[in-house]
Amino acid sequence: MRLTTKGRYAVTAMLDLAIHAQHNPVSLTDISTRQGISLSYLEQLFAKLRRSGLVNSIRGPGGGYQLSRRSHDIFVAQVVDAVNETMDATRCQGKGNCQDGDQCLTHHLWEDLSAQIHAFLSSISLQNLIERREVRDIALKQDQRAAPPDDEQRIRVSML
């Protein structure tokens, strides 16, 4: 099973948004700076996330993106699915033509693994990730690197 960059970046960007959009919309430029993801790539991902109903865009000065619902109600599998990422452990992309046009002996094993991975990611909300101490610590470090020096104290206080 391989989760590509598209799925990883989408989950990372959504987690960043969930952490930072508590009161105001978050710009893709800010997410790009903190996460090291190109702005044009984020624009593509967020177009899909918006079409899937996971985020809302806010136009105008101070605009950006917000989660469309609470972070408790958005699950990692939904994010991955929204960007058309498959969690397929089979060699045949689930077509069943693994061995000269027929199913291989382990085809159903890999299909079952794919289903288990999807079920696992369906059980983890963005809020579950935010509640992890190591996630909060990493977010704080990223904020400190991205912020002007005079904003560091404000960031430290807001993350606690």
Side-chain angles (χ1 to χ4, degrees):
M1 206 300 289
R2 191 174 70 102
L3 185 63
T4 67
T5 301
K6 185 182 353 177
R8 290 178 190 275
Y9 281 0
V11 172
T12 299
M14 285 290 286
L15 182 56
D16 184 286
L17 181 62
I19 290 168
H20 294 94
Q22 305 286 331
H23 306 288
N24 299 312
V26 176
S27 75
L28 293 184
T29 302
D30 289 345
I31 295 172
S32 174
T33 299
R34 283 189 294 267
Q35 301 308 323
I37 303 170
S38 90
L39 183 57
S40 62
Y41 201 69
L42 282 174
E43 289 168 346
Q44 293 171 35
L45 292 175
F46 272 76
K48 291 180 179 187
L49 294 166
R50 189 173 38 79
R51 280 193 299 271
S52 293
L54 295 176
V55 297
N56 296 320
S57 61
I58 311 298
R59 295 179 185 245
Y65 285 89
Q66 292 180 318
L67 299 178
S68 64
R69 51 191 185 263
R70 297 176 339 156
S71 57
H72 291 88
D73 300 323
I74 298 176
F75 295 86
V76 173
Q78 293 173 313
V79 175
V80 173
D81 291 344
V83 296
N84 303 323
E85 185 72 18
T86 60
M87 290 174 268
D88 181 17
T90 66
R91 285 187 305 165
C92 63
Q93 288 77 45
K95 295 176 187 168
N97 59 358
C98 339
Q99 189 173 31
D100 299 323
D102 293 323
Q103 287 184 356
C104 66
L105 284 173
T106 55
H107 178 81
H108 295 288
L109 170 69
W110 304 129
E111 276 189 329
D112 291 348
L113 175 60
S114 299
Q116 289 292 320
I117 292 168
H118 196 273
F120 171 71
L121 295 178
S122 293
S123 72
I124 301 171
S125 71
L126 293 177
Q127 185 62 37
N128 294 142
L129 295 173
I130 291 169
E131 290 170 357
R132 295 181 66 156
R133 180 69 185 173
E134 62 271 20
V135 169
R136 291 193 315 272
D137 290 347
I138 292 167
L140 180 60
K141 287 179 189 175
Q142 290 173 338
D143 286 343
Q144 289 171 339
R145 275 192 304 247
D150 58 334
D151 285 347
E152 283 187 29
Q153 182 61 34
R154 179 189 54 78
I155 291 168
R156 215 175 283 118
V157 171
S158 70
M159 291 297 292
L160 302 176

